[in-house]
Amino acid sequence: MRDVTFGRYYPSRGPLHETSASLKLLFFALYIVSIFISKTYTGLAVCTAFLLICIFISRVPLGRVLRSFRSIIIIALVSSVIVYLTHPQDGALAAVVLFVRLISAVCVSALLTLTTTPSEIADGLEKSLSFLRFIHVPVRDIALSVSITLHFVPVLQEEAEKIYCAQKARGASFSGSLSHKASTVVAVLVPLFSSAFRRAGELADSMESRCYDYACERTAFHESRFTSYDVLAGLLFAAYFLFTICVRLMPWQ
Amino acid sequence: MGAVIKAQNISTSYRTGFGLKEISFEIEEGSFVCITGPNGGGKSTLAKVLNGLVPLEGGSLEVCGLDVSDVHNLPEIRKNLGLVFQNPDNQIVSVIVEEDVAFGPCNLGLPLDEVKKRTARALEMVGMTEYAASAVSSLSGGQKQLVCLAGILAFRPKIMVLDEITSMIDPVERNKILQIIKGLVEEQGITVLLISHRFSECLAADRLLYIENGSLVADGNPRQVLSAALNEDEGRKSNA
C-alpha cells in the first residue's frame, strides 16, 4: 500500500511544479499519445529518455516516481509474457512495447500528481474543459470530484493499512492459497467501503457548511498566468512530440 | 447584546435516530457555551440543525435573525455560523494548508486578493502562518484541526459551532486549541458553541447545555449543571 505514490503531492519549487496545471494536463495527454504511437525500440527509447529528463528536472526523488510502478509491475510482466507467447512474429518487440507503455503511463501520471496539487489539477481541468459548459456539462463539479478523489487516495490507503493491521491482530490470515486470500480480503474491503461512505458523507456535510453550493462563480485560487517556465516547457514538449512523430514516420522503421 | 440563536421547541427525527425533542434555548452574542451529554443524545444533530444540514421537523429556529427553515437563507446562515467537525481528515478538501483554508472564501466568489487576505488572517489567528504552504499530510492531528478552524474563520463568522474538535488530539494540543477558542470569544467577540465530553472544556465555558435523549435537561452555570448531572447519576446507581 505504501508503494502507491499516485495522488501524493511532493512539495517543491522545481520547474515542473511551477508550470501551469492546464499545460501539464495537456502534456500528460500528449505524452500518453506519444507512447502509444511509438512502436519501435528507438521510439520507446526516446519516450523513456524524455520521461527520465522530466523526472530529473522536477526535483522529485527518482525513487518516489519509480515506486509508483511497483504495484503494477506484476501485471505489466504477466501481460508482456502473454503478448510474447501469443505473437509468433516480433513477440519480443510487442512484449517490450506493452511493458514500456504501461510503466511509462503509470510513471507519468505519478509525476503529474507529485508535481501538481489536486486543487491545481481541478483548476486546470476546469479551465481546460470550460468550453463544455456551453452544453451544460458540470465542469466545476467534475474537476472538484477529480481533485477530492486524488486527495483521498492516500487517506484511504492509510485507512486500508489500519484495517489490515486490525484484522491481523484479531487473527485474520492473509497468507495461503489464492482462494483463501480472496476470501480474507473481504475482511478488509467491507470495513474500508463502510469507512469510505462515512467519510464521503462527512466531507459532503463539511463542504455544504462551507458554502460549496453557493450560487455564484467560484474564485480560482491559482492564477492562470503564463510564466517563462510555461513557454520553455511548451517549446521543449513540442520539440519532443514532433521528434516522436518523426521517429514514427521514418521510412526505415 | 441580543440573542444570535433563538430556538423554540425545535424537533427533528434524524435518520440515525439521534433526534431532538422540542428543545428551546437562546444564545447571546459573544458568549462561550458548551454543550455536553451522553453519546447519541443529539448534540451533533443540534450542530447540524443550526447549520441547516439537517432539516427541522417542528418548532422555529433563527440564526442571526434568519429563519433556518427557509432554504434561501442557508448561504447567509452558513457565512455567519461556521461548523467544525470532529475528524479533520474528513473535512479537509485540499492537500496544501492555504488552499484548504481558502476553499470557503473561494466558494463565496470573493476577489482573489480578498481570498488571500482572509486566508492569511485566519491562519495568523490560529498560529499556523508558517505552515501555509505545507502539505496537510505532514501536520499533526491538532494542527489539522487548527487548519479546519482557520477554514471557518476565513468566512469571518459571528458564530462558531465546534463539534468535539478536541476529542482526537493529545492534551497539549487540546489545551492550545482551548486557548485559541477563548481568544476568539474574548478578543474577536465570536459566539462559540463547543460540543464536548470533557469536564475541563465544560468548565471553561460561560454556560452549559446538557442534552440527553434529544431533550435539553439542564441549562445554566457549568459547575451547577455538572454537579446536578453527577448527583442524578449517583442517585440512579444507588436506586439500582
Side-chain angles (χ1 to χ4, degrees), chain A residues 119 199 210 218-219 222, chain B residues 90 92 99-100 106-107 110:
Chain A
S119 53
R199 278 178 188 276
R210 289 166 79 184
R218 193 169 183 273
T219 310
H222 300 282
Chain B
N90 296 351
I92 291 172
E99 283 180 3
D100 188 75
C106 284
N107 287 338
L110 298 170

Side-chain angles (χ1 to χ4, degrees), chain A residues 68-119:
Chain A
S68 63
F69 69 72
R70 274 196 208 164
S71 51
I72 68 135
I73 197 136
I74 301 292
I75 298 169
L77 281 171
V78 170
S79 310
S80 302
V81 169
I82 292 169
V83 166
Y84 177 73
L85 295 174
T86 53
H87 284 68
Q89 288 180 333
D90 291 335
L93 177 64
V96 171
V97 165
L98 181 71
F99 184 80
V100 174
R101 277 177 183 172
L102 282 173
I103 298 297
S104 301
V106 171
C107 282
V108 78
S109 48
L111 189 62
L112 176 72
T113 56
L114 283 163
T115 58
T116 322
T117 65
S119 53

